[in-house]
């Protein structure tokens, strides 16, 4: 408190420390503050130049929470209300901006992903920036990038979002998307971002292989519920898991904002999320200390704007 962070980013003492270091770790907080401090006006500060030199010579650059969000070139700056982003309320320099780019310029990294339903903001951000790859990192999990290879470690997971085959259009309002490809990766799983090849962890490969299209497939779940808050805590993970290992062909849910002001012209706008199996959708399942863990590859997603009734419910009158 009270310190001049931008002055510190120009302080030769800190630059010297980075020059003598083998790694840099960005803590959480506000990703916009990290970027605006280290690259004010889009220009690298001496401290950021030193960090880039460290990275170029093979040093480790890592971060958590906001410190993870700054890793990609395209960055979600501040967009807590994911439904508002789906509605098209995403402004350059406000909800969307430029990160530090250590993870490259071909993808967007987002964090607290499954717990906070941030798939709803990553999809529009990817479309707006014309990108086809997203990495959504959940709690207590890390995605380790080494060139084209990504390894997942931790207890929760990473959602890989691919839009190469999706029907998408920048500037389309309200947001509409068809055929996004989702893969849920867990501890020890790896993916090659160039070939998009997923290699499950050894304990998953030794566990149960799940091919929903196989004649002998015996689903664990009887069916899939309808999700009234599809972007709720870990709901995307649950929907994908139950759909994969059930006889159902799709799972549906809604994302909407009941707190939107009545005078908001988009107050009734919501979105239906339709997860569905496709040829090649498959998975692996293995037991862990805290329950069953799944790796899921190649599930598809459509997002469609819908009208949500206002009020959604009323007093029951028999």
């Amino acid at each position: 408190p009270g310190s001049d962070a931008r002055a510190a980013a120009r302080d030769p003492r800190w630059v010297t420390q980075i020059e003598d270091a083998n790694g840099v770790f960005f803590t959480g907080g506000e990703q916009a503050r990290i970027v605006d401090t280290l690259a004010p006006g889009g220009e690298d500060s001496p401290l950021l130049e030193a960090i880039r030199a460290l990275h170029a010579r093979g040093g480790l650059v890592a971060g958590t929470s906001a410190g993870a969000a700054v890793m990609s070139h395209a960055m979600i700056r501040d967009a807590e209300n994911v439904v508002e982003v789906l509605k098209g309320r995403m402004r350059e320099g406000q909800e969307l901006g430029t990160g530090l780019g250590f993870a490259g310029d071909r993808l967007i990294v987002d964090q607290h992903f499954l717990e906070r339903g941030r798939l709803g903001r990553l999809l529009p951000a990817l479309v707006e920036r014309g990108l086809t790859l997203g990495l959504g990192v959940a709690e207590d999990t890390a995605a380790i990038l080494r060139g084209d290879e990504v390894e997942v470690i931790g207890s929760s997971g990473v959602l890989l979002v691919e839009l190469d085959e999706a029907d998408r259009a920048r500037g389309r309002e309200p947001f509409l998307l068809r055929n996004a490809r989702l893969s849920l990766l867990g501890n020890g799983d790896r993916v090659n971002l160039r070939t998009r090849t997923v290699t499950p962890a050894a304990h998953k490969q030794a566990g149960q292989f799940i091919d929903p299209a196989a004649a002998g497939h015996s689903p664990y779940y009887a069916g899939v519920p309808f999700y009234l808050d599809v972007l709720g805590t870990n709901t995307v993970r649950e929907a994908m898991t139950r759909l994969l290992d059930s006889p159902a062909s799709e799972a549906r849910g809604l994302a909407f904002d009941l707190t939107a002001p009545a005078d908001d012209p988009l107050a009734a706008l919501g979105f239906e999320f339709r997860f569905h199996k496709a040829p090649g959708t498959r998975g692996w399942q293995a037991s862990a200390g805290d329950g069953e863990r799944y790796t899921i590859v190649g599930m598809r997603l459509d997002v469609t704007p819908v009208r949500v009734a206002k009020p959604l419910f009323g007093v029951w009158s028999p």
Side-chain angles (χ1 to χ4, degrees):
S3 64
D4 187 341
R6 291 192 181 184
R10 301 188 299 272
D11 191 327
R13 294 176 299 171
W14 295 110
V15 173
T16 299
Q17 287 199 30
I18 297 298
E19 291 173 344
D20 294 336
N22 294 316
V24 170
F25 186 84
F26 289 92
T27 60
E30 299 178 12
Q31 52 261 42
R33 184 172 186 266
I34 295 173
V35 172
D36 294 345
T37 296
L38 291 177
E43 296 293 328
D44 285 4
S45 64
L47 187 61
L48 182 54
E49 290 177 348
I51 297 172
R52 295 200 190 283
L54 177 151
H55 188 245
R57 64 177 182 265
L60 174 67
V61 177
T64 184
S65 191
V70 303
M71 290 297 156
S72 50
H73 178 74
M75 181 184 78
I76 299 171
R77 282 177 65 93
D78 184 12
E80 288 302 313
N81 191 324
V82 295
V83 176
E84 286 293 293
V85 176
L86 282 167
K87 289 179 178 181
R89 291 163 176 166
M90 181 170 56
R91 299 156 294 180
E92 187 69 33
Q94 297 291 323
E95 288 77 18
L96 191 61
T98 302
L100 300 182
F102 291 104
D105 58 4
R106 58 180 169 172
L107 55 81
I108 295 179
V109 177
D110 204 356
Q111 23 74 36
H112 304 299
F113 195 75
L114 296 172
E115 294 78 8
R116 302 186 186 180
R118 287 180 167 172
L119 179 60
R121 72 182 195 178
L122 178 60
L123 292 171
L126 288 170
V127 171
E128 179 66 21
R129 282 300 183 91
L131 299 173
T132 60
L133 272 177
L135 283 179
V137 184
E139 306 282 0
D140 193 33
T141 303
I144 304 174
L145 279 71
R146 301 183 183 94
D148 290 324
E149 294 288 330
V150 178
E151 180 181 3
V152 178
I153 60 172
S155 64
S156 190
V158 168
L159 191 69
L160 174 68
V161 180
E162 302 172 69
L163 300 187
D164 305 78
E165 301 173 5
D167 174 14
R168 55 198 169 92
R170 180 181 179 184
R172 179 186 288 163
E173 295 181 8
F175 186 74
L176 175 67
L177 182 71
R178 293 284 183 271
N179 206 38
R181 188 174 189 266
L182 307 179
S183 296
L184 181 64
L185 311 178
N187 186 42
D189 295 342
R190 301 189 308 278
V191 60
N192 184 294
L193 297 180
R194 180 176 56 82
T195 65
R196 311 296 171 84
T197 302
V198 172
T199 304
H203 71 280
K204 296 275 186 64
Q205 296 190 51
Q208 179 186 3
F209 175 65
I210 302 170
D211 181 356
H217 175 55
S218 179
Y220 178 80
Y221 296 104
V224 182
F226 184 90
Y227 297 97
L228 275 176
D229 184 9
V230 74
L231 298 180
T233 302
N234 284 317
T235 306
V236 167
R237 182 209 305 278
E238 180 185 336
M240 292 179 63
T241 298
R242 291 184 68 103
L243 176 58
L244 174 75
D245 211 357
S246 79
S249 61
E250 62 182 35
R252 294 176 181 264
L254 288 177
F256 57 94
D257 185 4
L258 281 181
T259 66
D263 59 354
D264 182 350
L266 300 181
L269 176 59
F271 298 86
E272 180 192 57
F273 280 60
R274 174 180 171 259
F275 302 88
H276 52 105
K277 297 170 183 173
T281 299
R282 61 197 186 279
W284 294 260
Q285 180 270 324
S287 297
D290 55 351
E292 306 297 319
R293 293 294 181 181
Y294 285 79
T295 294
I296 302 172
V297 174
M299 191 161 283
R300 302 297 171 136
L301 172 67
D302 301 336
V303 181
T304 304
V306 296
R307 179 175 296 277
V308 178
K310 296 282 186 171
L312 184 64
F313 59 91
V315 175
W316 170 256
S317 299

